[in-house]
Amino acid sequence: MRRGVKARLVLPLMMLLNACVPASHSEVASRAVIADSTLPPMKQFSTARPATPRLSNAVLAQDFLDLAFRMESGRTLPVLTRFERPITLRVAGKPPATLAPDLARLLARLRNEAGIEVRQVTGESANITVQAISRNQIRKLLPQAACFVVPNVSTLAEYRRARRSPETDWTRLTERRRLAIFLPNDVSPQETRDCLHEELAQALGPLNDLYRLPDSVFNDDNVHTVLTGFDMLILRAYYDPALRSGMTRDQAAAALPAVLARLNPAGGTVAPHPTRATPQVWSRAIQAALGRDVSRTARMAAAQDALRIAQAQGWQDNRRAFSHYAMGRVVQMTDPAAAQGHYSAAEDYYRRTPGTDLHRAYVATQRAGYAVTRGDGAAALTVIEPHLAIAERSENAALLATLLLLKAEALQIEGRDTEARRVRLDSIGWARYGFGPDWAVRAKLREIASLNPHRGSADNLGG
């Protein structure tokens, strides 16, 4: 990736769900329009329910420093940078209809949970400009990115002119005053929202992603799609009066104990359990294993490398689990039974790692889908049920819709047709938010129905 660009990469996370990083001198940060429909109305989330993190302040301080003073590429950021005055934000381009309510909810959360004064304005200028553009425009600049954020520009034309200049180099900033977030406007409402959460968080705060963080959007596994309680705590610390732009890592480290003692008093009594840093070689292997434009042979070699590194590191956490998950993804089409072995291993490691309930829900789709293909509706229902509330609490409509659709097929296998129709109908409202236009929703319905060996045809699913 170019040196000044911080962009969110596109990594697929499961069989039935495809899963954006900030921009500097040559390093950008990255993660739809809905027409009239004959399907049931789109469902949207209303009340955020983030879990309160229970973390040692010593570990939290290390996470903060690694997030704030380094970029994902490994480049060091010499000083802390943030906005030093109340922040204004405007929306430009051609935003989809769902962006306004999603943005309003996010800004309210940032004010209430992170204590950051950010308000939306109209007019031609603001500290942060959210530009809604097409996915093709984004891909022309960053083929592997879903969305990105750039300092010291407000428009795409400005970025094109300045993209290789010191002006857009995050490492040369001493304070944040003006930047642009580029989001896709022709994808599903959820994908646009996910980009908004991650890119606005990076526009305001840390630019790095750490695979070791299980409960955060600051993680390239793309499991969490909206800001978590951990993320809000990091952002609240980022804007604490005891910190300021221009601080070095050592200066910030000296101030953090008092900051965190005030913001996270329970963290002083939690025993620290620090984790080892993640080698770049493992991160690159994971990205290759889950890449879209990589041959199957290369993906297999990368997945094997990732798993070997995880084993050699002695990891027992979410990174070991994710290594098994990646291997399962690679072998799924050629050896489904072996893939299930890796998904079961992933589930075991996730279960031992606090803060990974959502990760387990993703793995559950793989395990339940396999049970459906074998005609074992009871086993599929047992796998699915514990994860429905988790998907809803995490505001992941695509995941929730997928679990509900799998549940409908499992119910049908069990001969519970009336329940199956009710669950399938419920899933469609979430699918419209998670997957977007009618054709995508109907395709998802047919895809999951095709797993059911008892079905003759799925042509008329979804109305």
Side-chain angles (χ1 to χ4, degrees), residues 445-463:
L445 288 165
R446 288 192 296 270
E447 179 183 5
I448 298 180
S450 71
L451 301 177
N452 185 347
H454 297 176
R455 266 194 185 280
S457 171
D459 291 342
N460 296 318
L461 285 172

Side-chain angles (χ1 to χ4, degrees), residues 15 27 83 116 150 177 212 320 348:
M15 160 186 72
E27 234 162 37
F83 291 97
I116 300 176
V150 191
R177 295 184 175 88
R212 72 173 186 257
R320 178 70 173 269
D348 288 342

Side-chain angles (χ1 to χ4, degrees), residues 49-55 215 228-230 233 264 266:
R49 293 180 290 166
T52 301
R54 179 170 171 76
L55 296 168
D215 186 24
T228 67
F230 172 90
L233 179 56
N264 188 44

Side-chain angles (χ1 to χ4, degrees), residues 8 40 118 127 190 315 325 332 388 428 453:
R8 180 177 185 179
V118 52
N127 299 118
Q190 178 168 319
W315 291 336
Y325 180 87
Q332 184 165 281
L388 293 169
I428 294 174

Side-chain angles (χ1 to χ4, degrees), residues 191-202:
E191 187 172 348
T192 300
R193 182 210 61 185
D194 296 353
C195 276
L196 179 66
H197 273 247
E198 181 163 344
E199 303 317 316
L200 185 52
Q202 292 182 319

Side-chain angles (χ1 to χ4, degrees), residues 8 13 92 108 110 126 129 162 208 212 252 292 353 364 426 432 460:
R8 180 177 185 179
L13 287 175
L110 288 168
T129 298
N208 197 7
R212 72 173 186 257
R292 290 176 168 177
T353 306
D426 186 36
R432 292 193 62 204
N460 296 318

Side-chain angles (χ1 to χ4, degrees), residues 124-147:
E124 297 300 316
S125 64
N127 299 118
I128 300 172
T129 298
V130 177
Q131 288 280 355
I133 62 177
S134 73
R135 178 163 49 183
N136 282 341
Q137 287 175 291
I138 291 173
R139 296 276 174 88
K140 284 179 181 177
L141 292 167
L142 297 170
Q144 298 301 317
C147 39

Side-chain angles (χ1 to χ4, degrees), residues 106-120:
L106 177 54
L107 295 183
R109 286 192 63 198
L110 288 168
R111 289 190 293 267
N112 296 333
E113 297 175 40
I116 300 176
E117 287 301 317
V118 52
R119 63 186 178 89
Q120 188 172 353

